[in-house]
Amino acid sequence: MATVLQKIAEIEAEMARTQRNKATSGHLGMLKAKLAKFRRELIEPKGGGGGDKGEGFDVAKTGDARIGFVGFPSVGKSTLLSNLAGVYSEVAAYEFTTLTTVPGVIRYKGAKIQLLDLPGIIEGAKDGKGRGKQVIAVARTCSLIYIVLDVLKPLQHKRLLEKELEGFGIRLNKQPPNIVFKRKDKGGLNLTATVAQSELDIDLVKTILNEYRINNADITLRIDATAEDLIDVIEGNRVYIPCIYILNKIDQISIEELDLVYKVPHCVPISAHHKWNFDDLLEKMWEYLMLVRIYTKPKGQLPDYTAPVVLTGGKTTVEDFANKLHRSIMKEFKYALVWGSSVKHQPQKVGKTHLLQDEDVVQIVKK
């Protein structure tokens, strides 16, 4: 472990020393690829079993979505969780109060959402310091991440936390890069770009792929990609998670400062202690989670508006909905009747590939 950490530190130091220009871009690309490989060893260490499993960290996934609270010690994560969900996570005025993951559940607009208060992350978590490694491993499984910041020192905290999460292969508020990468057995490297590239050329791509010992591949760049984008695609273990920055303790700043804070993108100012602005936070949470509620309608009865079936993350076809109800339904599926905003006529007959929208009512007709 220590040797990997030393190597990571050496590579980072060398990258900081190297001037960035056209001549050094190949060398920097190689260093970035090396860094990504060592980081991967930290996330998934070589060799089997044994070791500290991170007691109290793996929490069973319940509900329709999972939100992780990430932040430095003592920014008010536990207060926020206990006020949102009514769960008591130990709160005190010294650092590192919360030592294991504390789960809580809230119901919002009919969806059940699990909240996880993750222990405070310290600098160097991605290099295995503190309990950071297990914390970030849990963060990778969340559908949304709340980065809780102290409004009095937000920016340096925000940068450090983003760097820690990036180091663990978590990309915040980003889409996967539009790069097609296919390995093959022979035929060398084929690089095609559908847009002009400002950073990547065939030499830099070769340098990066040499680091992974890949000599034969087809690569299509559909965006103006950076070396990091290419490395992300080759590594293939990146997770893309939406993120909301919560600026806590706004009771300690002036109105003028609050106006400035509101202009920051992906940001919600709140006061966890006074329970200020929670409704704004929940509304933004709903928008970022992109949950779709579907109501069921048994034949000849009124729709059941009390318990919606919640579909997540792009899986919103009629087939996904039926599978969520029960795996056996699709075997006898004939068609579905849909009322709501996803269809022109009320009701409309649709097939299993029809995309549903929030608050549609569906009745499944069997063979």
Side-chain angles (χ1 to χ4, degrees):
M1 184 79 165
T3 51
V4 177
L5 294 177
Q6 282 160 1
K7 283 175 182 167
I8 287 179
E10 282 164 20
I11 294 171
E12 280 181 338
E14 192 172 343
M15 279 169 71
R17 280 200 305 273
T18 311
Q19 284 188 331
R20 287 167 190 269
N21 55 40
K22 196 86 181 161
T24 60
S25 66
H27 179 60
L28 277 168
M30 184 195 72
L31 289 176
K32 283 173 186 168
K34 271 190 175 163
L35 193 60
K37 278 166 67 182
F38 285 128
R39 286 265 165 78
R40 185 180 63 214
E41 274 183 40
L42 276 183
I43 302 175
E44 315 154 0
K46 287 178 182 163
D52 173 27
K53 287 281 193 299
E55 289 306 311
F57 273 80
D58 304 325
V59 180
K61 210 166 184 175
T62 58
D64 302 304
R66 184 180 214 184
I67 300 179
F69 287 74
V70 176
F72 277 92
S74 302
V75 289
K77 298 196 295 294
S78 301
T79 314
L80 176 59
L81 180 76
S82 51
N83 283 344
L84 269 178
V87 173
Y88 187 71
S89 169
E90 199 176 321
V91 180
Y94 54 85
E95 304 214 330
F96 295 112
T97 337
T98 310
L99 292 172
T100 55
T101 308
V102 179
V105 174
I106 55 170
R107 280 192 169 278
Y108 186 65
K109 294 190 177 180
K112 204 168 152 198
I113 296 163
Q114 185 181 32
L115 306 176
L116 295 182
D117 177 16
L118 302 174
I121 287 186
I122 47 169
E123 263 179 274
K126 65 178 186 298
D127 308 330
K129 284 186 199 157
R131 261 296 180 71
K133 213 170 130 187
Q134 292 115 334
V135 176
I136 297 186
V138 174
R140 277 177 71 98
T141 64
C142 294
S143 349
L144 170 68
I145 288 181
Y146 278 163
I147 287 190
V148 188
L149 303 165
D150 191 332
V151 79
L152 302 173
K153 39 186 174 186
L155 283 174
Q156 69 260 37
H157 275 189
K158 175 172 180 268
R159 270 189 220 108
L160 288 169
L161 285 167
E162 282 170 335
K163 199 174 158 206
E164 295 297 324
L165 293 169
E166 291 266 324
F168 260 97
I170 294 176
R171 301 282 175 269
L172 302 173
N173 291 329
K174 281 184 189 166
Q175 293 300 319
N178 197 346
I179 297 175
V180 180
F181 172 76
K182 279 187 188 145
R183 293 177 80 150
K184 50 187 187 176
D185 297 333
K186 52 182 189 285
L189 275 184
N190 286 336
L191 180 68
T192 44
T194 56
V195 259
Q197 298 294 318
S198 57
E199 185 177 326
L200 289 178
D201 53 12
I202 187 71
D203 297 329
L204 181 52
V205 171
K206 267 186 180 158
T207 314
I208 291 174
L209 289 180
N210 276 344
E211 198 49 52
Y212 287 97
R213 302 207 173 89
I214 298 172
N215 300 317
N216 306 303
D218 290 335
I219 298 170
T220 312
L221 305 173
R222 299 207 176 116
I223 50 165
D224 183 3
T226 61
E228 281 94 348
D229 289 339
L230 181 61
I231 291 169
D232 280 356
V233 171
I234 298 168
E235 283 280 343
N237 61 359
R238 306 293 187 243
V239 283
Y240 296 85
I241 303 179
C243 167
I244 296 176
Y245 301 101
I246 298 181
L247 290 172
N248 190 15
K249 309 186 182 176
I250 53 167
D251 45 325
Q252 299 175 8
I253 58 170
S254 65
I255 295 283
E256 291 77 31
E257 286 170 309
L258 190 57
D259 283 344
L260 282 174
V261 165
Y262 246 107
K263 293 185 177 121
V264 183
H266 309 299
C267 198
V268 181
I270 61 151
S271 166
H273 183 66
H274 295 286
K275 304 188 187 182
W276 292 347
N277 210 15
F278 277 11
D279 44 358
D280 213 10
L281 175 62
L282 291 169
E283 202 43 59
K284 205 159 187 114
M285 167 194 86
W286 187 255
E287 182 192 323
Y288 278 54
L289 282 173
M290 294 196 295
L291 297 177
V292 173
R293 291 163 296 174
I294 308 296
Y295 301 111
T296 54
K297 181 186 179 307
K299 195 171 179 183
Q301 293 174 26
L302 287 171
D304 176 12
Y305 288 117
T306 53
V309 174
V310 179
L311 304 177
T312 49
K315 294 184 177 168
T316 60
T317 62
V318 173
E319 187 172 6
D320 294 319
F321 163 73
N323 286 337
K324 187 100 188 222
L325 285 175
H326 199 279
R327 287 273 173 219
S328 65
I329 291 178
M330 282 318 289
K331 291 188 185 112
E332 358 183 309
F333 178 85
K334 190 174 177 190
Y335 61 87
L337 289 172
V338 176
W339 291 257
S341 55
S342 69
V343 288
K344 279 185 181 169
H345 311 290
Q346 310 291 341
Q348 186 170 325
K349 242 187 199 181
V350 296
K352 63 179 182 183
T353 54
H354 174 76
L355 286 173
L356 298 165
Q357 288 176 6
D358 195 23
E359 298 207 85
D360 280 0
V361 173
V362 178
Q363 176 185 336
I364 288 177
V365 179
K366 295 181 180 176
K367 286 173 187 160

